[in-house]
């Protein structure tokens, strides 16, 4: 039997997807690609398929099917289209790990299907755990599958917990870079542009998570993600702003000892750790040198200005479908900001209104999550239509 792990990458054309393929390319003795998926980027999907020769390539956007099919017609790669095809193929018996690197709520159904087919999940798509953390973690327990975090903070905590199986966590400390607008006032934020917001100081990522980092919603989503991954209560989760992004997060144990995982910001490391877990793979990534960073600094997050982080804690405390509501509201708000329909601060207004207006369900089923997501999106879209058009009052 071969020791090579067969990987399905959902969202292979994105920031995490392409970095995962870099890791796989460098470790072809350990990993091979079974499935690649993209939403609309047919060109890159074709290039990746020609290089990595997966058994399947799936393009979500059905209008791009012919282009992909034709380009791969001389190969053995099976080409499919549509979301339902992803949900079906992730269950294929030959897959060992499903890496969920698509963005947003779209990750939920394929992740559930993969867990039910007993696939280990390397989870980058944090929205899945935000929306339905209780369902996902109980399914994972029931089907005996591992959820291996790819998000750098959660990978850090996961690494700190190695060898600590019988020791209780007192709390975790999630670090946040603070994003491009750290220290800025509400007046300043009212007029920031999309281009400003898309410039993250430390990480190069997809557009949605980059905007989430600028509003601190990303940290809010990560707080909820951490609750489910590590079975924590809200008071056990602290957030500290650490602008250098060298300490990726920390765990404090019951004796007061704190373990931190550190390194230069590079998503390939957490991706590699998740795919090869529990083994560490030797690599030649650039090494951290303390002398280059004589000042590692820490600040309290400003939740008066960056209200989304407070909303996320509130959603965590209220539970039920509230995290699903903030996720859907935020996806629509970010899309609205990226389309120049609303200004930066209005994103939090959309989230807040949805939290107040969408029906609360205390014990949601999978169908409730789908309904809540749909209802919230429609409500948020209507809200945006009524907001003063276009963003910047300069
Ligand atoms: P990108 O926007 O760069 O990539 C998203 C990927 O998902 C692309 O392959 C895209 O296809 C595909 N996709 C987008 N929408 C859909 C959809 N509706 N259905 C199916 N596929 C879709 O995102 P990132 O790589 O930055 O982020 C991916 C996930 O990982 C997110 O949940 C993010 O929060 C998380 N994450 C990302 C980090 C990072 O450093 N980038 C760090 C930690 C977590 P196409 O290219 O065709 O549009
Ligand atoms: Mg992160």
């Amino acid at each position: 039997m071969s020791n090579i792990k067969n990987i399905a990458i959902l969202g292979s054309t994105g920031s995490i997807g392409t970095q995962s393929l870099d890791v796989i390319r460098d470790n072809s003795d350990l990993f091979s690609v079974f499935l690649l998926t993209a939403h609309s980027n047919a060109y890159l999907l074709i290039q990746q398929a020609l290089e990595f020769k997966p058994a399947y390539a799936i393009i979500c956007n059905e209008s791009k099917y012919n282009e992909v099919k034709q380009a791969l017609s001389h190969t053995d790669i099976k080409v499919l289209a549509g979301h339902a095809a992803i949900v079906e193929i992730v269950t294929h018996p030959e897959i060992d790990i499903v890496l969920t690197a698509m963005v947003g709520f779209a990750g939920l159904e394929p992740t559930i299907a993969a867990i039910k087919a007993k696939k280990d999940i390397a989870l980058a798509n944090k929205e899945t755990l935000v929306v339905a953390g209780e369902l996902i973690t109980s399914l994972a327990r029931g089907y005996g599958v591992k959820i291996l975090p790819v998000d750098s903070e959660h990978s850090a905590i996961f690494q700190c917990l190695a060898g600590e199986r019988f020791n209780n966590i007192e709390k975790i400390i999630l670090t946040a870079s603070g994003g491009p607008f750290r220290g800025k006032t509400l007046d300043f934020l009212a007029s920031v542009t999309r281009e400003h917001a898309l410039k993250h100081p430390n990480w190069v990522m997809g557009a949605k998570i980059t905007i989430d980092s600028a509003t601190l919603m990303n940290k809010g989503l990560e707080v909820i993600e951490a609750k489910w991954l590590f079975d924590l209560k809200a008071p056990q989760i602290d957030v500290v702003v650490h602008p250098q992004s060298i300490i990726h997060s920390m765990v404090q144990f019951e004796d007061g000892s704190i373990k931190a995982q550190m390194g230069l910001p590079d998503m390939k490391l957490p991706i590699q750790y998740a795919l090869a877990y529990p083994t560490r793979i030797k690599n030649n990534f650039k090494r951290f040198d303390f002398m280059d960073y004589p000042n590692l600094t820490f600040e309290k997050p400003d939740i008066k200005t960056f209200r989304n982080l407070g909303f996320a804690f509130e959603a965590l405390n209220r539970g039920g479908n509230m995290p699903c509501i903030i996720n859907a509201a935020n996806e629509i708000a970010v899309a609205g900001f990226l389309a120049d329909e609303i200004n930066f601060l209005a994103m939090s207004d959309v989230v807040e209104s949805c939290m107040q207006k969408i029906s609360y369900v205390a014990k949601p089923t999978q169908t409730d999550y789908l309904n809540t997501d749909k209802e919230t999106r429609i409500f948020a879209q209507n809200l945006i239509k009524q907001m003063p058009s276009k963003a910047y009052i300069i």
Side-chain angles (χ1 to χ4, degrees):
M1 212 178 97
S2 139
N3 282 331
I4 293 187
K5 290 184 187 171
N6 258 338
I7 317 287
I9 304 182
L10 312 187
S12 62
T13 50
S15 158
I16 294 289
T18 49
Q19 293 180 86
S20 306
L21 288 172
D22 291 342
V23 167
I24 292 174
R25 184 186 294 108
D26 288 345
N27 296 282
S28 55
D29 53 329
L30 299 175
F31 310 118
S32 74
V33 178
F34 188 83
L35 163 66
L36 293 173
T37 83
H39 186 258
S40 302
N41 191 344
Y43 175 80
L44 186 54
L45 181 66
I46 292 164
Q47 301 310 311
Q48 292 178 337
L50 289 171
E51 178 182 353
F52 289 93
K53 303 187 174 46
Y56 289 87
I58 304 180
I59 185 97
C60 251
N61 180 341
E62 299 185 13
S63 70
K64 301 284 181 99
Y65 171 74
N66 282 339
E67 184 183 343
V68 182
K69 175 82 185 155
Q70 210 164 19
L72 300 179
S73 60
H74 64 289
T75 70
D76 294 335
I77 303 164
K78 293 178 205 63
V79 178
L80 302 171
H83 184 76
I86 300 181
V87 177
E88 185 191 334
I89 303 302
V90 286
T91 65
H92 196 287
E94 286 181 41
I95 296 172
D96 297 305
I97 300 184
V98 175
L99 183 115
T100 63
M102 57 223 278
V103 67
F105 183 85
L108 181 66
E109 275 187 288
T111 307
I112 291 175
I115 294 173
K116 288 183 174 170
K118 302 200 172 178
K119 309 299 177 195
D120 285 336
I121 307 290
L123 186 130
N125 177 246
K126 65 190 84 185
E127 293 90 343
T128 292
L129 274 189
V130 171
V131 167
E134 191 159 15
L135 176 69
I136 295 287
T137 47
S138 73
L139 280 175
R141 271 194 305 276
Y143 285 90
V145 312
K146 293 189 212 51
I147 308 254
L148 303 155
V150 169
D151 212 346
S152 58
E153 296 77 359
H154 306 75
S155 174
I157 291 162
F158 189 55
Q159 293 180 54
C160 291
L161 291 175
E164 302 282 1
R165 199 166 148 212
F166 299 105
N167 294 321
N168 291 328
I169 299 174
E170 191 163 270
K171 68 173 184 181
I172 62 164
I173 302 145
L174 286 179
T175 50
S177 71
F181 305 134
R182 182 175 60 88
K184 301 297 185 198
T185 61
L186 284 169
D187 276 353
F188 179 92
L189 293 178
S191 61
V192 297
T193 63
R194 181 181 51 198
E195 286 67 32
H196 272 131
L198 283 172
K199 280 207 183 90
H200 193 279
N202 303 339
W203 300 95
V204 180
M205 309 178 285
K208 197 252 173 187
I209 184 174
T210 306
I211 300 301
D212 285 346
S213 300
T215 63
L216 288 204
M217 182 53 101
N218 183 50
K219 211 47 56 182
L221 300 178
E222 290 182 355
V223 165
I224 302 173
E225 182 186 9
K227 182 231 157 34
W228 293 113
L229 278 173
F230 306 111
D231 194 17
L232 302 168
K233 305 227 165 4
Q236 289 177 287
I237 308 173
D238 274 359
V239 173
V240 68
V241 173
H242 165 48
Q244 298 81 19
S245 298
I246 294 300
I247 297 182
H248 298 307
S249 279
M250 297 170 257
V251 179
Q252 182 172 313
F253 295 93
E254 287 185 314
D255 59 356
S257 176
I258 296 176
K259 276 169 89 173
Q261 188 263 335
M262 304 172 68
L264 292 171
D266 182 349
M267 284 308 297
K268 288 204 288 296
L269 193 113
I271 291 168
Q272 180 181 291
Y273 190 77
L275 293 182
Y277 178 81
T279 310
R280 286 188 184 270
I281 307 175
K282 188 175 160 85
N283 62 34
N284 57 8
F285 302 164
K286 190 164 186 276
R287 277 15 181 184
F288 171 71
D289 183 339
F290 276 89
M291 297 314 123
D292 293 337
Y293 291 83
N295 296 308
L296 294 181
T297 61
F298 306 92
E299 298 163 19
K300 218 174 142 78
D302 173 4
I303 61 168
K304 280 214 170 86
T305 308
F306 298 92
R307 298 194 301 145
N308 284 349
L309 181 56
F311 293 152
F313 269 105
E314 192 183 329
L316 178 59
N317 283 319
R318 293 190 59 192
N321 63 341
M322 197 50 81
C324 179
I325 295 172
I326 66 161
N327 179 67
N330 181 57
E331 285 192 31
I332 296 299
V334 171
F337 175 71
L338 286 171
D340 270 354
E341 290 165 2
I342 54 171
N343 78 17
F344 188 83
L345 294 174
M347 287 190 275
S348 297
D349 298 337
V350 172
V351 173
E352 186 178 35
S353 293
C354 291
M355 290 177 81
Q356 288 162 356
K357 295 283 164 49
I358 303 298
S359 346
Y360 177 71
V361 182
K363 293 229 170 295
T365 60
Q366 189 176 345
T367 312
D368 292 324
Y369 289 125
L370 297 174
N371 290 339
T372 298
D373 180 74
K374 207 166 151 192
E375 190 191 340
T376 309
R377 280 167 198 269
I378 294 168
F379 182 86
Q381 255 145 3
N382 285 333
L383 200 68
I384 287 176
K385 278 193 203 127
Q386 291 155 26
M387 285 177 158
S389 71
K390 188 98 176 187
Y392 321 117
I393 315 129
I394 301 178

